[in-house]
Amino acid sequence: MRYITLILLLSFKLFAIDATLEIVKNTNKIPYIVVERLDSDNADFGAKVLKMLVADLKVSGHFQVYDGGVKKSTNIDYADYKDKKTDLLVQIKVSKSSNNLNGNISLYDINTSKHIYTKDYAENDAKRFPFIAHRMAIDINSYINAPKIDWMQRLIVLSRYTTPGNSEILISDYTLTYQKVLIKGGLNIFPKWADSKQESIYYTKYLNVPTIVKYNLNTGQTEQLIGSEGIAIVSDVSKNGENLILSLSPTALSDLYLYNVKSNNLRRLTNYSGIDVDGKFINDEKEIIFVSDRLGYPNIFAMRLDGGGTEQVVLHGRNNSAITSNGKYAVYTSRESDNEFGDNTFNLYLISLSPGSNYIRRLTASGKNQMPKYSNDGESIMYLKHYKSQSALGIIRVNYNTNYFFPLNKMKIQAFDW
């Protein structure tokens, strides 16, 4: 298993408030935490979990982190750690039995000279070692009452091209270190989580026509929902999982539809002679935003689900081909150049969806930045970045002015969902 190198590349001041000032107990600074590994039954996986835990704590934005390496003794010299200005100490142990992996963590508060807790973690597949580290980081983060980072343990579902005309769907952790193929054979594209528990997905499979299929991760069972001659894509899923926004083109170019999975009722939302795609629920699911070429180029529009006309949302750029939203804010792609014979720059922009607001902020500065997706808590943004000959999966921690990248290493992602 390759290691993912975590690199802090960009920093943008998005907000005037330093969110980290509110997360620390009894101090006015970000806590300094040392992570150590005790001698364990499996040094290989112990080193991997240590490396991943250090990276997770850095990505959280809530800690100053130091990799303390391997320790022979379990004795804690609190005075020595205090002299080094340490606030928290983490010691981990990792053991492997058959294909089962077990992790153990002990957390110490150096300022109060107290052992806080010891906790065990287990995975029945050693390849899932990143999730032991992710859960450790979540628990450490909870101790200092920092904003939650539960998104770290969520799965990413993505489709990647394998050979011409073929693609497979797989799941991974957010760093792409753990990967497991779910579906292969033929063209399988546009995966989307079907529920908040991440038990099922929707995806598009080319049968006689493009067809939306539901796949259960636990049972492996599939169910065909609806097909369309041109495209058939699940663009968004309501919070309760009952309503879907579909991009379909049964007769001409694509329009948006609202589909209820319980009643199988399909209601057309747009009726435009051009292209309407990529609809997303906003405003407590009373409205949607979507991409349309009704101005002669891709741009972002909004409309109410109970009827009414469409409204242009984005007034910047002339090629805004993707959109994501957490309900209050939206992030969209914008082409920044018009190079007919070479690469063009696509950047991400953040806008407020509050009525009358003109808030806009650029999130990226170079390369092709595409396919933005909000995390389920609405605090982070995942996207694809292509710069020169390199590609990476990026995460923007919006409130912490940081941007992290995980190299794709020749993986060609078609689409993903978080």
Side-chain angles (χ1 to χ4, degrees):
M1 180 67 70
R2 63 184 173 86
Y3 291 101
I4 300 297
T5 302
L6 190 65
I7 307 172
L8 176 61
L9 294 181
L10 299 172
S11 178
F12 299 96
K13 191 167 183 60
L14 302 181
F15 302 100
I17 298 174
D18 184 356
T20 61
L21 293 181
E22 300 178 358
I23 69 172
V24 183
K25 287 182 170 183
N26 305 319
T27 182
N28 61 355
K29 66 180 181 66
I30 300 175
Y32 181 68
I33 185 169
V34 175
V35 184
E36 300 173 345
R37 177 171 67 85
L38 300 175
D39 281 343
S40 63
D41 296 333
N42 194 292
D44 181 28
F45 279 100
K48 291 179 179 179
V49 172
L50 174 66
K51 185 180 181 71
M52 185 64 67
L53 177 56
V54 168
D56 284 345
L57 294 173
K58 289 180 180 179
V59 171
S60 75
H62 303 155
F63 302 90
Q64 300 179 74
V65 191
Y66 176 74
D67 183 343
V70 181
K71 292 293 179 181
K72 298 288 185 181
S73 173
T74 58
N75 295 327
I76 307 300
D77 186 343
Y78 287 101
D80 181 57
Y81 286 105
K82 285 181 181 178
D83 289 342
K84 297 175 182 177
K85 308 301 181 182
T86 304
D87 298 301
L88 297 171
L89 170 66
V90 175
Q91 291 185 335
I92 68 170
K93 293 187 293 185
V94 178
S95 61
K96 183 175 180 290
S97 176
S98 185
N99 197 40
N100 298 317
L101 202 65
N102 296 289
N104 174 276
I105 185 174
S106 292
L107 178 66
Y108 300 87
D109 190 323
I110 302 302
N111 293 314
T112 59
S113 300
K114 290 182 179 180
H115 172 241
I116 306 305
Y117 66 77
T118 295
K119 188 171 182 179
D120 295 320
Y121 304 82
E123 289 287 347
N124 58 13
D125 180 358
K127 293 180 180 179
R128 287 179 55 90
F129 75 86
F131 292 100
I132 289 182
H134 299 336
R135 296 201 303 275
M136 286 178 175
I138 290 169
D139 289 339
I140 296 168
N141 186 76
S142 295
Y143 171 68
I144 65 169
N145 291 330
K148 291 184 178 181
I149 54 172
D150 292 3
W151 56 266
M152 285 188 177
Q153 65 183 337
R154 287 182 63 83
L155 292 165
I156 310 300
V157 62
L158 58 95
S159 57
R160 65 181 177 191
Y161 292 112
T162 53
T163 58
N166 290 274
S167 60
E168 59 189 15
I169 292 177
L170 61 151
I171 53 175
S172 76
D173 77 311
Y174 83 96
T175 71
L176 299 178
T177 305
Y178 168 77
Q179 297 180 14
K180 179 182 178 181
V181 175
L182 300 178
I183 301 162
K184 57 184 177 180
L187 195 58
N188 307 284
I189 53 179
F190 296 112
K192 190 77 177 176
W193 287 113
D195 55 272
S196 60
K197 295 181 179 180
Q198 298 192 320
E199 294 177 345
S200 299
I201 63 169
Y202 297 109
Y203 70 100
T204 301
K205 187 174 187 67
Y206 273 72
L207 301 172
N208 293 327
V209 296
T211 303
I212 295 173
V213 178
K214 187 176 184 180
Y215 174 86
N216 187 293
L217 274 66
N218 297 322
T219 66
Q221 293 182 333
T222 61
E223 173 191 357
Q224 295 183 22
L225 267 68
I226 190 170
S228 180
E229 189 66 36
I231 65 170
I233 303 170
V234 176
S235 297
D236 203 10
V237 180
S238 64
K239 290 182 179 179
N240 63 11
E242 294 183 6
N243 292 304
L244 314 178
I245 300 177
L246 306 182
S247 299
L248 302 174
S249 53
T251 56
L253 298 177
S254 61
D255 276 299
L256 296 173
Y257 294 76
L258 187 67
Y259 180 80
N260 184 276
V261 297
K262 289 188 173 181
S263 66
N264 295 325
N265 180 62
L266 183 67
R267 177 164 69 93
R268 190 169 189 165
L269 298 176
T270 64
N271 191 358
Y272 167 60
S273 59
I275 297 174
D276 290 338
V277 292
D278 204 19
K280 300 291 190 298
F281 289 108
I282 60 171
N283 190 20
D284 295 325
E285 301 181 359
K286 297 175 183 177
E287 300 179 57
I288 63 170
I289 51 176
F290 60 98
V291 178
S292 177
D293 70 346
R294 58 190 65 206
L295 294 180
Y297 55 89
N299 199 274
I300 311 302
F301 291 81
M303 66 175 293
R304 292 186 59 85
L305 290 178
D306 59 5
T310 61
E311 177 185 358
Q312 184 178 354
V313 175
V314 173
L315 303 177
H316 168 270
R318 289 185 57 84
N319 191 318
N320 308 310
S321 55
I323 186 76
T324 186
S325 176
N326 63 0
K328 297 180 180 180
Y329 293 89
V331 175
Y332 65 91
T333 62
S334 179
R335 190 177 70 190
E336 305 287 85
S337 57
D338 192 11
N339 191 336
E340 183 178 355
F341 301 103
D343 288 341
N344 284 295
T345 297
F346 288 82
N347 279 317
L348 301 182
Y349 284 80
L350 174 74
I351 59 171
S352 171
L353 297 177
S354 299
S357 174
N358 60 359
Y359 178 83
I360 181 172
R361 184 72 64 177
R362 191 174 71 177
L363 300 179
T364 59
S366 62
K368 295 180 180 179
N369 304 280
Q370 298 170 319
M371 300 186 200
K373 303 287 182 184
Y374 261 108
S375 58
N376 65 321
D377 64 2
E379 298 295 327
S380 302
I381 299 157
M382 183 175 286
Y383 67 103
L384 293 184
K385 184 178 187 70
H386 306 283
Y387 182 70
K388 296 183 178 179
S389 60
Q390 298 179 330
S391 296
L393 189 69
I395 291 182
I396 299 173
R397 296 284 285 140
V398 178
N399 290 338
Y400 306 99
N401 312 324
T402 54
N403 197 331
Y404 298 89
F405 291 94
F406 305 92
L408 294 180
N409 291 339
K410 298 182 180 179
M411 180 191 296
K412 189 174 182 181
I413 294 178
Q414 182 269 332
F416 70 92
D417 192 29
W418 197 356

